[in-house]
Amino acid sequence: MNNPIPVIIGVGQVNDREGLGNASLGLDSLGLMEAALRAADHDAGGAWLPRLDSLGVVDQISWPELGDVSTPLARRLGATPRFCYKSAYGSGDSPLLLLNEAANRIGAGEIKVAAMVGGEALRAAARRAAMAVPAGASSSDNAVRAVAMRRGPSYRHRYGLVAPVDVYPLYENAGRAAYG
């Protein structure tokens, strides 16, 4: 029997922000993830979420008190996936790693339906943090760096590589060097 070929059947994105006639709902990371997966399910024709065999969640940094949201998210979706987990840390490559893992499991015949999702509510978290900022302190401190540093030092932290704006210039400069 041939191995199944993984196919992406639905995608969803939710931007919860004010402006352009929109009112922010103030969703936390879990709410954003649920909304994005429901949008992806709709895009795929519906009725896929209860069939999930695997749910991979990008570890989020904006609401650390939520912890691993994979199991609560699965419950909200009415799913009971065999594989329900979060990535080791939140980063720009985590979604691709989760997608690769799901594709490998599908290709190996271990699962049939997988979803992967991430959801950062940085604006809502920054608004919440701004309310707790002491007088004289800046409420515009980078929320990504502040939350990431709570996790303790890592190789990336030692060199200040915790936010995308820190890492992308490395790729750009490496590309420039490679292309002369």
Side-chain angles (χ1 to χ4, degrees), residues 109-136:
E110 297 174 8
I111 62 174
K112 291 183 179 182
V113 180
M116 62 280 324
V117 66
E120 286 300 346
L122 293 173
R123 283 182 180 85
R127 249 185 263 122
R128 181 185 59 177
M131 291 191 266
V133 173

Side-chain angles (χ1 to χ4, degrees), residues 6 8 85 93-105 116:
I8 296 174
Y85 59 99
D93 59 353
S94 295
L96 292 175
L97 294 172
L98 293 174
L99 179 62
N100 184 59
E101 189 169 297
N104 285 337
R105 283 185 173 149
M116 62 280 324

Side-chain angles (χ1 to χ4, degrees), residues 33 54-60 70 83-106 111 114-119:
M33 289 181 205
S54 177
L55 175 60
V57 173
V58 175
D59 188 24
Q60 49 86 36
S70 61
F83 299 98
C84 192
Y85 59 99
K86 72 172 184 65
S87 64
Y89 51 87
S91 71
D93 59 353
S94 295
L96 292 175
L97 294 172
L98 293 174
L99 179 62
N100 184 59
E101 189 169 297
N104 285 337
R105 283 185 173 149
I106 290 170
I111 62 174
M116 62 280 324
V117 66

Side-chain angles (χ1 to χ4, degrees), residues 125-143:
R127 249 185 263 122
R128 181 185 59 177
M131 291 191 266
V133 173
S138 170
S139 63
S140 63
D141 292 339
N142 188 318

